[in-house]
Amino acid sequence: MAQQGHSAACCTVPPVVAKGYEPKGSYIDLEGMKVYTTGPSSATSAVFIIYDIFGLSSQAIQGADILAHSDKSHQYQVFMPDLFLGKPLPTSVYPPDTDEKKKTLGDFFAGPAAPPKTAEKVPQLVKKLHEKGGIQIVSLTSKSGTVFSAAAEVHPAMVDPSDAKDIVIPLCMLASGDENPKDVDAFEKALTVPKHVETFGDQVHGWMAARADLEKERVKSEYERGYGVLLDFYHKHL
């Protein structure tokens, strides 16, 4: 398990905006699907983001901009498709502490957010982005036959150690304090590829996306550090 330490990329991450963030990118239409895109078209590599169940949140968009623009000597073109077509899970459903919320969350994961359904969409989306002039793209799809060069997952839901053995590209996992530490540890031990696995133990599931309360200094600091770790990882493997 990686320990907290100095991140060179953290030094280049711009100050995080706690409220009222203004996106640096724009949206393109991909055959009816809105895709947030940010970063220079001259970049030689790119990041493909699969957002969390809360969709195109301000925090996720700011994170995409951090990855795209932070290091002027190593920028990325970033793509984040609106996979839920404008109908993400409301943040009010989490945490699922009532029977009604549990049902809503379960129905969402069984429906639009079903991992196999999302994974099936990714190769076609990549192909369409290439046709539009997109470039080398990184995502969470990382098993045999992948078109990606490296992958990262942050506060991952449903960590399954049995998935790790099939991963064939470098992987970064940044877990929150809400993930099962035994599953995270077993997942790391089962990986056979270059890896960075780290747990941000005092952060909640979703702290690098929609559930990040960036008005809290500790959350803001760890959000910033997390994106710095991702930049370090991508710089090393892309």
Side-chain angles (χ1 to χ4, degrees):
M1 184 73 66
Q3 300 298 314
Q4 178 175 339
H6 175 73
S7 162
C10 279
C11 298
T12 67
V13 173
V16 171
V17 177
K19 195 172 184 179
Y21 182 73
E22 293 292 333
K24 294 180 179 179
S26 59
Y27 292 94
I28 61 173
D29 181 84
L30 205 61
E31 297 186 11
M33 181 179 290
K34 184 168 69 172
V35 179
Y36 182 73
T37 179
T38 182
S41 59
S42 60
T44 57
S45 54
V47 176
F48 183 93
I49 296 177
I50 298 177
Y51 56 33
D52 68 6
I53 55 177
F54 305 114
L56 290 168
S57 63
S58 174
Q59 300 95 320
I61 288 171
Q62 183 170 185
D65 287 342
I66 288 171
L67 295 175
H69 297 283
S70 291
D71 189 341
K72 300 303 181 184
S73 67
H74 196 154
Q75 294 180 304
Y76 301 96
Q77 196 170 7
V78 177
F79 301 92
M80 183 162 55
D82 185 14
L83 294 163
F84 302 147
L85 303 176
K87 297 179 180 179
L89 187 76
T91 55
S92 59
V93 174
Y94 216 90
D97 50 10
T98 67
D99 289 343
E100 183 179 1
K101 288 181 179 181
K102 289 175 183 176
K103 183 179 185 308
T104 300
L105 182 62
D107 289 347
F108 195 72
F109 270 117
K117 182 181 294 186
T118 300
E120 288 172 2
K121 295 177 183 177
V122 172
Q124 191 61 30
L125 287 170
V126 171
K127 181 180 178 181
K128 291 176 182 178
L129 284 169
H130 274 289
E131 291 170 355
K132 277 184 169 285
I135 48 181
Q136 179 188 7
I137 298 169
V138 179
S139 182
L140 304 182
T141 308
S142 51
K143 297 185 179 181
S144 180
T146 180
V147 298
F148 306 121
S149 301
E153 48 188 316
V154 298
H155 38 77
M158 298 176 286
V159 177
D160 186 348
S162 67
D163 287 335
K165 68 181 187 304
D166 295 324
I167 292 175
V168 296
I169 56 178
L171 183 88
C172 177
M173 175 188 283
L174 303 184
S176 76
D178 289 336
E179 277 74 69
N180 185 319
K182 291 183 179 179
D183 288 342
V184 173
D185 184 58
F187 186 95
E188 179 184 12
K189 289 177 179 176
L191 286 170
T192 60
V193 295
K195 62 194 175 186
H196 179 96
V197 178
E198 182 172 354
T199 295
F200 289 61
D202 63 351
Q203 297 303 302
V204 300
H205 180 82
W207 101 93
M208 287 181 68
R211 295 190 69 217
D213 184 351
L214 298 176
E215 293 186 76
K216 293 181 178 179
E217 190 56 40
R218 176 62 178 172
V219 176
K220 182 179 175 183
S221 173
E222 290 294 80
Y223 171 96
E224 180 178 298
R225 188 170 74 84
Y227 279 102
V229 171
L230 291 184
L231 280 171
D232 276 346
F233 182 80
Y234 289 147
H235 285 4
K236 189 177 297 183
H237 297 290
L238 294 183

